[in-house]
Structure formats: structure tokens, C-alpha cells
Amino acid sequence: MPRVKRGVTARAAHKKVLQKAKGFRGRRKNVFRIANEAVMRAGQYAYRDRRDRKGEFRALWSARINAAAREHGMSYSRFMNGLKKASVAVDRKVLADIAVLDKPAFSKFVERAKASLGA
């Protein structure tokens, strides 16, 4: 079996990794071994944080809804419970958007929640 020289494929693989390491500090951007580790670690962080971002946004939406509900004298948990009992199917993302951009519409949601709780 003939000998295989890997110069072309190895160079292509190295170039691919070094391209992904652009913008890193120090030798992490131009030394293949170090760059390869840095790129793999960056990929792990990216994978994990794509999932974490969803939780962070949910917390942000909850905080915005809570602030808007408290302006109407209601806590977040009682407000959400009231909406659930009133069979209002609006998710937190949309509720938070309404709370920030359309206060009169949000006050109608609060009235519905209070009515369903019997308060």
C-alpha cells in the first residue's frame, strides 16, 4: 500500500480551526494546538449558553410582568394564577411585551385576573 502524505488535508483542517479562533487573545489565535483546545471549549460554552439564554429570557419576562402587575397592586404569582383561572392563554413573552409597550391593554389583563380570583 502506498504512503499517504497528509499535507493538504492537514493544512485544510488546521486552517478551519484557526479561522474559528480569529479574535482570540495571544497564542490561542495562531498556534494550532492551543487554538484547537480554545475552539472546542468555545463550542461547549456556545452549546450550553444557547440553552441558558432561554431561561434568562424567561426570567426577564417574569420580572417585567411582575413590575407591571405590582403597579396595579397585584403580585406576579397571583396575576399569573388569575390568568390561568380565567383561561387566558397568553405566554410570558407576549405578556411582557404588552406590559412594556401597551399599558392600557395590560390593565385589562389585570382586571380579568382579579375578576377570576374574585377580588
Side-chain angles (χ1 to χ4, degrees):
M1 189 180 276
R3 180 168 77 106
V4 176
K5 295 176 72 177
R6 287 187 30 99
V8 176
T9 47
R11 162 129 346 188
H14 287 201
K15 266 179 66 176
K16 207 180 286 186
V17 169
L18 291 172
Q19 183 63 38
K20 287 181 181 175
K22 254 192 167 167
F24 290 6
R25 288 180 62 128
R27 292 192 303 162
R28 302 170 98 224
K29 70 175 169 281
N30 55 13
V31 175
F32 172 73
R33 279 188 187 182
I34 298 167
N36 195 33
E37 289 179 10
V39 166
M40 286 193 296
R41 176 61 51 85
Q44 290 171 338
Y45 284 138
Y47 178 84
R48 179 197 68 190
D49 291 340
R50 276 195 296 276
R51 279 135 193 85
D52 284 353
R53 186 189 319 142
K54 291 159 182 59
E56 288 171 12
F57 268 107
R58 188 180 170 104
L60 174 68
W61 298 330
S62 297
R64 287 180 176 173
I65 295 167
N66 186 26
R70 286 184 188 276
E71 285 179 1
H72 294 280
M74 207 172 192
S75 72
Y76 171 80
S77 61
R78 286 184 51 74
F79 173 67
M80 294 306 283
N81 186 28
L83 288 182
K84 193 172 186 180
K85 284 185 177 174
S87 300
V88 176
V90 180
D91 64 359
R92 285 165 178 79
K93 180 179 179 179
V94 174
L95 267 176
D97 206 34
I98 291 170
V100 172
L101 300 175
D102 192 2
K103 298 206 185 284
F106 189 80
S107 63
K108 289 180 183 167
F109 280 111
V110 172
E111 289 167 18
R112 292 273 300 271
K114 282 183 179 175
S116 69
L117 290 173

